[in-house]
Amino acid sequence: MTKLQTLPAPGHEQGKDGKTPGNRARGSGTRGSAGRPRESRGTLAFSRSAHIKALAKHALLIVTGGIMIYPLLWMVVSSLRPNDLIFREPGLWLNGLEMSNYTDGWSALSHPFGHYMLNSAIVVIGSILGNLISCSMAAYAFARLQFSGKKLFFGIMLLTIMLPFHVVIVPQYILFSQIGWVNTFWPLIVPKLLATDAFFVFLMVQFIRGIPQELDEAARIDGAGHPRIFLRVILPLMVPVLATTTIFTFIWTWNDFFGALIYLTDPEMFTVPVALRAFVDSQSATSWGSLFAMSIVSLLPVFLVFLFGQRFLIKGIATTGIK
Amino acid sequence: MSAISELSSMSRGKGPVTDEEKRANRRDNKAAYIFLLPWLVGLVVITVGPMLMSLYLAFTDYNLLQPPEWTGLDNFTRMLGDARLHNSLRVTFTYVLVGVPLQLAVALLIALVLDKGLRGLPFYRSVFYLPSLLGGSVAVAILWKQIFGTTGLVNQVLAMFGIAGPGWISDPSTSLGSIILLHVWTFGSPMIIFLAGLRQIPNMYYEAAEVDGATTLQKFWRITLPMLSPIIFFNLVLQIIGSFQSFTQAFIVSGGNGGPSDSTMFFTLYLYQKGFGQFDMGYASAMAWFLLVIIGAFTAINFIASKYWVFYDD
């Protein structure tokens, strides 16, 4: 109990943050793992009431967490059940694995589900590359260079973060349809190549501001120009924020429904979300099992990214509130 | 520092510029615009250009096939008399005004419970955060459709207690509620922002309050809430802006038609139907601008009201 109170929780963001320059960017670098002295509370931990309080907290968290996760677990289990059981069995017990939902679902649409996964993968990879390259370039200019109109442009950049995309979607659609890009992946990728995900520009600006200016000044004295400073000094130090950008772009693009719904009408070009939607329309309530099976398949990449990228996800959210 | 606080502190001035700096500036200027080129092209072609275009289209009748025909304020007067649009506004406002406060309250509550050096924090945090990541997906919307279906999970559980539940999604009086619940379920990301904010509150305030014999509730009202108010404000602004644009969940849960009886016809869903279902692009553009005005008004009200309840330490 005392150990629990005196040690900072393992893997806690503050403990890890202290080592990265991104932390300084947020002005919270002074608060390392020692930021809040837990020792002072250690004495309280001996009391009975504190013990009971901690137990009550765990009970509350386990119950709420259980309710939160239950639907997801239930979906996983249901995808492994015969169809008629799904409507009768609210529990999580399995009597044998029923893989037919997966095989049926995989080939239920005009293309095997892997085809849609591949389409999604192409869009995701293109978007990630686009965001990494163009956002980091813009961020370098905003964070390190002096130029006329800097304040104005920076303000506009911040405002575009909050602009609802509905205001631009109709003309964008008209534009892309006139150049013949409907039913191609270009309308989903090209905007990323042009740094329209301004949130990442902002995130990167914040990060670069935390990198000591002396580093690029030293490089400049050695005769390096801006491209070299950017590529050789700044970019290698930006790995954590680039990772955050990659992970969020992956998840958002993989889940993007609206864009794909508008631009991809040919089943050949469907990404996973629109394919799932087509699945719902074609089968409706008759085959929840295979619908769930393919839903699980579609969530799997996001879940894996979540599993391996958690540290960057949490940090990214805590910094600027992207979701 | 967040985008919002950055935006409100933009107006600060700078010191005088020396000749040396001016020379450096001129050298930087060219490099800066090269680095900014992709973003600038995007700003013009993908953002500002289409914005101006949609402003123009809002005053026209345009179906993609014939050239746009100027109709003046016609789209806006049509909006005044469009009962479905009024209904979609009511649905969206209900969703935002009920869903956002509810979601933030749950996020804050769980963040408070998680805050004080509890064992297993990373585990709990992951469990509560995961739905946030998956919540926007079509897959989870499909799951929700089943959970709240007539023979869905919720009613199966209720049946165990001998209760015959309604058809949550097929009943207009509960359908919107189930989508609001989906929104509340994704409280993980504001929760993480709250957690980060709670870490910033110096412990000495609590220690001083303890010495003075303050109760837990007093500490919450007098220290935690005021110190956290900028974070609450930040979450509020972001969530309101985001919630007004919700689309996927309503689309999938309602089967794309906003049913039953338009009870889940979100503003964005109606906009989609007008623009991309009926190719009434002029009307859809007018709606988009109306949405922008609504979101802008809400954000402005938020900023003005914040002067009275948001407490800045410095």
Side-chain angles (χ1 to χ4, degrees):
Chain A
M1 203 46 217
T2 43
K3 204 172 150 202
L4 180 163
Q5 297 283 15
T6 49
L7 286 174
H12 199 278
E13 65 258 38
Q14 287 296 341
K16 282 181 180 171
D17 265 2
K19 293 165 203 144
T20 63
N23 201 33
R24 260 165 276 146
R26 275 167 260 144
S28 57
T30 48
R31 298 186 52 81
S33 47
R36 178 178 288 183
R38 285 169 206 282
E39 286 82 352
S40 65
R41 313 203 141 226
T43 48
L44 292 172
F46 287 104
S47 72
R48 248 184 106 91
S49 72
H51 198 104
I52 291 168
K53 229 168 126 183
L55 273 178
K57 276 183 178 179
H58 281 290
L60 174 74
L61 290 171
I62 288 167
V63 170
T64 3
I67 296 172
M68 294 269 301
I69 292 300
Y70 198 87
L72 293 171
L73 295 176
W74 180 83
M75 176 161 69
V76 175
V77 172
S78 292
S79 75
L80 297 164
R81 273 179 181 148
N83 245 310
D84 51 326
L85 258 186
I86 294 175
F87 300 100
R88 286 191 279 122
E89 188 51 81
L92 296 177
W93 296 270
L94 266 176
N95 304 314
L97 294 184
E98 178 80 34
M99 294 308 290
S100 64
N101 287 330
Y102 282 85
T103 47
D104 290 353
W106 192 266
S107 52
L109 294 170
S110 59
H111 296 271
F113 206 75
H115 180 84
Y116 308 116
M117 305 270 286
L118 193 68
N119 284 347
S120 274
I122 294 168
V123 176
V124 164
I125 290 168
S127 300
I128 289 174
L129 285 178
N131 271 347
L132 287 182
I133 296 167
S134 57
C135 294
S136 65
M137 284 171 65
Y140 179 75
F142 280 129
R144 281 298 202 255
L145 299 173
Q146 298 305 320
F147 55 96
S148 43
K150 176 173 171 172
K151 273 197 165 180
L152 176 72
F153 282 133
F154 193 67
I156 291 173
M157 191 271 291
L158 290 179
L159 281 176
T160 58
I161 295 175
M162 294 161 211
L163 187 76
F165 61 90
H166 301 89
V167 178
V168 290
I169 194 68
V170 166
Q172 268 184 30
Y173 178 81
I174 295 166
L175 171 77
F176 287 131
S177 77
Q178 272 172 1
I179 49 180
W181 279 1
V182 168
N183 277 318
T184 72
F185 298 137
W186 295 118
L188 304 176
I189 296 173
V190 168
K192 318 280 171 159
L193 287 166
L194 300 175
T196 48
D197 275 350
F199 229 136
F200 296 124
V201 179
F202 176 69
L203 195 67
M204 291 180 192
V205 168
Q206 294 295 88
F207 192 90
I208 297 175
R209 281 176 181 170
I211 298 173
Q213 199 112 32
E214 289 82 10
L215 286 175
D216 21 329
E217 272 157 20
R220 191 170 308 166
I221 289 165
D222 289 345
H226 286 300
R228 191 182 286 246
I229 295 172
F230 172 64
L231 288 173
R232 294 291 173 83
V233 180
I234 301 293
L235 218 47
L237 292 171
M238 281 173 72
V239 169
V241 74
L242 297 179
T244 302
T245 303
T246 304
I247 290 163
F248 275 104
T249 307
F250 186 108
I251 293 169
W252 288 349
T253 312
W254 188 270
N255 281 342
D256 173 41
F257 177 61
F258 193 78
L261 180 68
I262 287 174
Y263 290 114
L264 309 174
T265 50
D266 177 1
E268 176 77 26
M269 303 305 286
F270 277 1
T271 54
V272 168
V274 265
L276 271 180
R277 183 256 168 152
F279 200 166
V280 179
D281 282 2
S282 64
Q283 321 257 325
S284 69
T286 54
S287 56
W288 281 106
S290 38
L291 201 50
F292 281 167
M294 288 309 103
S295 296
I296 301 286
V297 169
S298 83
L299 290 178
L300 212 59
V302 176
F303 184 72
L304 288 176
V305 167
F306 166 73
L307 217 57
F308 293 108
Q310 251 199 78
R311 194 160 69 92
F312 298 106
L313 280 167
I314 303 283
K315 213 180 281 176
I317 286 214
T319 320
T320 43
I322 52 183
K323 50 164 155 178
Chain B
M1 186 145 70
S2 70
I4 288 170
S5 58
E6 182 98 6
L7 205 56
S8 53
S9 65
M10 282 274 298
S11 44
R12 255 187 270 121
K14 252 194 178 171
V17 185
T18 65
D19 280 354
E20 171 70 25
E21 277 170 346
K22 270 184 193 156
R23 256 196 306 280
N25 283 359
R26 234 170 293 140
R27 194 186 53 216
D28 275 4
N29 239 337
K30 204 176 124 197
Y33 284 110
I34 292 171
F35 275 99
L36 277 180
L37 195 63
W39 178 78
L40 277 169
V41 173
L43 183 71
V44 173
V45 179
I46 305 290
T47 309
V48 175
M51 266 183 89
L52 296 175
M53 177 76 177
S54 98
L55 187 60
Y56 163 71
L57 287 177
F59 297 97
T60 66
D61 185 15
Y62 183 45
N63 61 6
L64 275 187
L65 301 171
Q66 280 101 29
E69 186 191 331
W70 185 265
T71 53
L73 289 173
D74 189 44
N75 285 327
F76 295 96
T77 46
R78 263 175 73 199
M79 279 165 65
L80 280 177
D82 185 346
R84 288 192 88 188
L85 183 129
H86 300 162
N87 172 64
S88 76
L89 276 174
R90 198 182 48 76
V91 169
T92 307
F93 273 86
T94 310
Y95 176 75
V96 172
L97 295 177
V98 176
V100 172
L102 216 56
Q103 187 207 40
L104 291 185
V106 176
L108 181 57
L109 184 75
I110 300 292
L112 284 170
V113 176
L114 280 177
D115 180 41
K116 299 280 192 296
L118 210 64
R119 178 179 263 166
L121 172 80
F123 171 74
Y124 288 129
R125 199 178 44 194
S126 304
V127 167
F128 289 118
Y129 176 51
L130 186 63
S132 275
L133 275 187
L134 307 180
S137 66
V138 168
V140 165
I142 289 173
L143 171 66
W144 223 254
K145 201 177 171 178
Q146 203 288 338
I147 290 179
F148 288 97
T150 314
T151 52
L153 179 60
V154 170
N155 282 350
Q156 288 170 31
V157 174
L158 287 177
M160 284 162 52
F161 299 97
I163 305 167
W168 303 95
I169 279 169
S170 49
D171 185 340
S173 61
T174 47
S175 52
L176 180 58
S178 29
I179 297 180
I180 290 177
L181 211 59
L182 174 51
H183 180 71
V184 176
W185 187 64
T186 62
F187 68 79
S189 60
M191 177 200 74
I192 283 172
I193 303 172
F194 279 138
L195 268 175
L198 286 170
R199 309 258 141 209
Q200 306 286 328
I201 304 175
N203 209 34
M204 59 180 187
Y205 292 161
Y206 293 105
E207 283 159 3
E210 263 162 45
V211 171
D212 290 344
T215 64
T216 311
L217 214 57
Q218 279 173 328
K219 280 188 276 182
F220 173 74
W221 285 108
R222 301 289 173 83
I223 301 169
T224 311
L225 223 45
M227 292 297 286
L228 208 58
S229 57
I231 309 284
I232 298 173
F233 174 61
F234 174 72
N235 269 335
L236 194 65
V237 171
L238 272 194
Q239 288 298 329
I240 288 179
I241 292 174
S243 299
F244 268 116
Q245 302 177 57
S246 289
F247 176 79
T248 307
Q249 295 86 344
F251 185 97
I252 296 296
V253 169
S254 73
N257 59 25
S261 356
D262 278 358
S263 61
T264 58
M265 180 62 94
F266 282 43
F267 192 81
T268 52
L269 192 47
Y270 192 50
L271 191 156
Y272 167 81
Q273 285 193 349
K274 281 286 170 193
F276 299 93
Q278 304 165 14
F279 292 103
D280 195 346
M281 293 292 189
Y283 197 67
S285 300
M287 282 183 71
W289 273 87
F290 188 49
L291 181 67
L292 179 68
V293 170
I294 293 172
I295 292 177
F298 263 78
T299 310
I301 291 169
N302 255 324
F303 268 93
I304 293 164
S306 75
K307 291 198 177 78
Y308 301 99
W309 67 272
V310 176
F311 168 79
Y312 288 101
D313 208 8
D314 44 46

